[in-house]
Amino acid sequence: MELQKPRGTRDFLFKEMKERKLVENTMRKVFETYGYQEIKTPIFEDLSLFTLKSGEGIIEEIYHFQDKGGRDLALRPELTAPVARIYLNELQKAAKPLKMYYFGSCFRYERPQAGRFRQFWQMGCELIGGKSPDSEAEIIAMAAHCLEELKLKDYQIHLGNLGILRGILSQDSVSADQQDQIMALIDKGDVEELKKLLGDLKLPENSKNILLKLVGMRGHQDIIDKVKNIIKDFPDALESLEELETLLEMLEAFGFADYTVNLGIARGLDYYTGTVFEIYVEGLGAQKQISGGGTYNLIEIFGGEKVESTGFAFGFDRVMGALKIQETSTQVERRVDVFVTPISSEMKLHAFEIAQNLRKSGISTDVELVGRKLKKTLSFASNSGARFVVLIGARELEENKLTIKDMESGDQEQVPLEMVKDILLDRINNKE
């Protein structure tokens, strides 16, 4: 019987895990620089947490099961709903705004394809209780800051405001459910089906033309005046456009101006209420979106008070894919800095003792455990990336000395046993 990993999952070996950890830690550092604190939620939750947010239809797309007590549970398909739940359970009385970030795996039962897996990772944040558009400006600037630190090139941040489109639809008495259908088609980019639906709803011809024109508009701050002229007869839409204009001004203050205004962003989820944004990287094919977010009102849907929240999540696996395609250098640390090996089997216990002393001094150290001959041990140490090999021979040890071999230059020297730790620390800390 051949054992295989489940469909839609992956194994990550040593080098890839080091690369993923480096990217994860880079993002963590940026989040914490902005005052966000990490939280962790369960991998499985009550099924109702996700059906309440997304409807019963989501059951077909997620891993759900009953436990031995007959409770309906589900592996989390995303992390925003668990964050809303933890806020309702633990944080309603906490001082606001609340800034939190998370990193974890999610699960969706869908057809695996390039850039889309059944187990995947998200790294994101939520800002609960902040004011719009201040919170949105910081969130967008922070997302860009993460990608700058990772040296990812050619990413595009597209942003819009759902209130512009909803303002037009509401003025024409389009129901909330019908608006959600329209937004879902805009999110998919299905213009033909959108035209058909707008016709079926008997939307006024003028409003229909305005909507179709808006969802195709792209530009920078310069398109704001054009949009104002187009929607001048829709006061609610104009108010949302003014929010978007203020957001763009704030982004300038945050030192970020490399964005695209895209009024065709809908996000496809009915709990988004205002600003929305998505980040794309060309070269990833159909899965070019590496992040998405915006302002939402999920907590009220779950029965809490109305509290404005803004957040986003990186599709961590897609970020890794983009870095790989661009061949962006991730400086992966060596496996160890020092490899300790006895020259003869009689020195084995001394090797263990010396290796352990180096480890307790904070030096990453491996030690020969297989009993290889010296030539093969040196080859193994070199392949492991060790900078130095400490050789322990009987004659040198009698003189209270050890041999340090520099694996890059090939030079080696005998040093007093009591100075080995300090010499290695100095060379490791000062060596490029």
Side-chain angles (χ1 to χ4, degrees), residues 83-116:
V83 169
R85 195 253 321 141
I86 203 174
Y87 170 80
L88 289 169
N89 291 167
E90 310 283 350
L91 297 169
Q92 291 192 67
K93 294 182 180 179
K96 296 179 183 61
L98 282 166
K99 292 182 170 185
M100 57 189 82
Y101 78 91
Y102 48 78
F103 177 72
S105 55
C106 301
F107 305 83
R108 290 183 189 164
Y109 190 80
E110 53 190 5
R111 185 172 64 85
Q113 53 187 294
R116 190 181 289 271

Side-chain angles (χ1 to χ4, degrees), residues 177-193:
D177 287 343
Q178 291 170 336
Q179 287 187 32
D180 293 343
Q181 293 177 45
I182 291 169
M183 291 299 175
L185 291 174
I186 293 172
D187 183 50
K188 292 178 181 177
D190 194 335
V191 177
E192 292 307 312
E193 281 298 315

